[in-house]
């Protein structure tokens, strides 16, 4: 049985006091939802504060980006060991990083390997654009992203991954995929691609989150599908009431 995993991607939102306030409010509910995995991914500036607040609560902490090299002249970047000092999770290959910051399946692969080498759990984001979707290329694009981003990993490493299927056209638009369509991609495309790389048993154990306009009113519909193992939540993770409602739906499902 795969546990449900709900993670909040705060993107470039919240100052340190704002982040402290939100985490304090979230903990009132999230702390007790120990039947699911739950995590927040605030901006890097809030990670040290968040790490302290979340210590011993069962709520995980993730960063939104890091570089793959261990150290050196890479102005503005965070090394895997620096992230691992504070976090358990690292979001890799989010479509916004692919779109605005040149991330590719190749750099995703380097980051995933670096994350695993430092004991971080990568949340690897994949998903097709609107044009690719409309051209009927979703399966092709998503399988290519899985194969490229996760190339050369062992089954033991594969077992430590979390995947987030996030159709780009659904992110921040209010136009979520239907639960049935998302589940079909998870079940018929993503998990089989993972099975090709790591074997069926490992693939069956990997959590595959859905992301893209998940809200309190549609969350349960996703979480009751066979192959949707939680959500990566953007906009609705910025308010305590909406994120806790989504986490509660995961706990109930
Ligand atoms: C995201 O950015 O990962 C995301 C899913 O955003 P939203 O929930 O706002 O669509």
């Amino acid at each position: 049985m795969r546990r449900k995993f709900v993670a909040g991607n705060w993107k470039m939102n919240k100052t340190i006091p704002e982040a402290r306030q939100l985490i304090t409010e979230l903990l009132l509910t999230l702390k007790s939802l120990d039947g699911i995995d739950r995590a927040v991914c605030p901006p890097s500036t809030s990670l040290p504060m968040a790490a302290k607040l979340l210590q011993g609560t069962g709520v995980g902490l993730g960063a939104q980006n890091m570089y793959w090299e261990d150290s050196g002249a890479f102005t503005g970047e965070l090394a895997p060991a620096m992230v691992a000092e504070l976090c358990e999770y690292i979001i890799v290959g989010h479509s916004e990083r692919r779109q605005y910051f040149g991330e590719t399946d190749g750099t995703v692969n380097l980051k995933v390997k670096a994350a695993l080498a430092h004991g971080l759990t990568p949340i690897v984001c994949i998903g097709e654009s609107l044009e690719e979707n409309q051209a009927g290329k979703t399966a092709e694009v998503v399988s290519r992203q899985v194969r490229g981003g996760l190339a050369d990993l062992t089954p033991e490493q594969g077992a430590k991954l979390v995947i987030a299927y996030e159709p780009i056209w659904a992110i921040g638009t209010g136009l979520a995929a239907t639960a049935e369509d998302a589940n079909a991609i998870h079940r018929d495309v993503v998990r089989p691609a993972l099975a090709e790389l790591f074997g069926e048993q490992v693939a069956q154990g990997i959590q595959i989150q859905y992301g893209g306009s998940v809200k309190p009113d549609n969350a349960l519909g996703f979480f009751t599908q066979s192959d949707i193992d939680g959500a990566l939540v953007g906009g609705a993770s910025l308010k305590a009431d909406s994120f806790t409602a989504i986490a509660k739906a995961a706990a109930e499902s």
Side-chain angles (χ1 to χ4, degrees):
M1 265 297 276
R2 296 180 297 269
R3 277 165 70 85
K4 293 283 192 293
F5 178 22
V6 173
N9 172 16
W10 295 7
K11 311 192 188 193
M12 200 173 70
N13 293 290
K14 307 284 180 193
T15 61
I16 297 171
E18 289 166 349
R20 182 183 288 110
Q21 171 74 24
L22 178 53
I23 291 172
T24 304
E25 288 174 28
L26 287 172
L27 280 175
L28 297 174
T29 309
L30 292 189
K31 219 171 151 175
S32 61
L33 296 181
D34 51 9
I36 61 165
D37 297 332
R38 59 272 191 235
V40 291
C41 306
S44 308
T45 47
S46 288
L47 291 175
M49 173 280 295
K52 270 193 203 140
L53 264 187
L54 295 174
Q55 204 165 26
T57 64
V59 179
L61 182 62
Q64 299 174 19
N65 182 42
M66 62 167 211
Y67 200 52
W68 59 82
E69 294 285 356
D70 281 345
S71 62
F74 303 104
T75 301
E77 294 292 323
L78 295 179
M82 297 168 187
V83 175
E85 284 178 316
L86 300 167
C87 299
E88 301 158 58
Y89 299 101
I90 175 80
I91 299 174
V92 180
H94 191 281
S95 63
E96 287 150 18
R97 294 217 55 90
R98 293 180 192 253
Q99 184 178 350
Y100 304 129
F101 303 102
E103 208 144 300
T104 62
D105 292 338
T107 60
V108 167
N109 188 242
L110 290 167
K111 290 183 180 194
V112 167
K113 287 174 181 165
L116 291 169
H118 287 84
L120 288 160
T121 298
I123 301 174
V124 184
C125 302
I126 55 174
E128 81 286 2
S129 67
L130 182 62
E131 298 71 42
E132 290 162 341
N133 182 282
Q134 288 176 341
K137 292 189 171 158
T138 299
E140 178 192 323
V141 169
V142 167
S143 322
R144 189 176 63 226
Q145 289 172 333
V146 170
R147 278 197 305 271
L150 308 182
D152 308 319
L153 301 182
T154 64
E156 290 71 28
Q157 290 175 310
K160 294 179 181 150
L161 303 171
V162 173
I163 308 294
Y165 168 60
E166 302 203 303
I168 298 170
W169 47 269
I171 296 179
T173 59
L175 293 171
T178 68
E180 292 73 19
D181 285 351
N183 191 52
I185 300 297
H186 289 211
R187 184 194 56 214
D188 302 337
V189 181
V190 181
R191 211 174 292 286
L194 293 170
E196 256 178 51
L197 291 174
F198 307 125
E200 185 61 31
Q201 198 182 338
V202 168
Q204 285 299 331
I206 296 177
Q207 291 166 317
I208 306 177
Q209 299 173 317
Y210 166 77
S213 298
V214 175
K215 309 281 178 217
D217 60 0
N218 63 13
L220 193 62
F222 288 108
F223 300 151
T224 47
Q225 298 290 323
S226 65
D227 283 72
I228 298 182
D229 307 314
L232 183 57
V233 185
S237 72
L238 295 173
K239 292 219 166 84
D241 55 356
S242 48
F243 192 61
T244 54
I246 292 168
K248 279 185 186 166
E252 281 163 21
S253 65

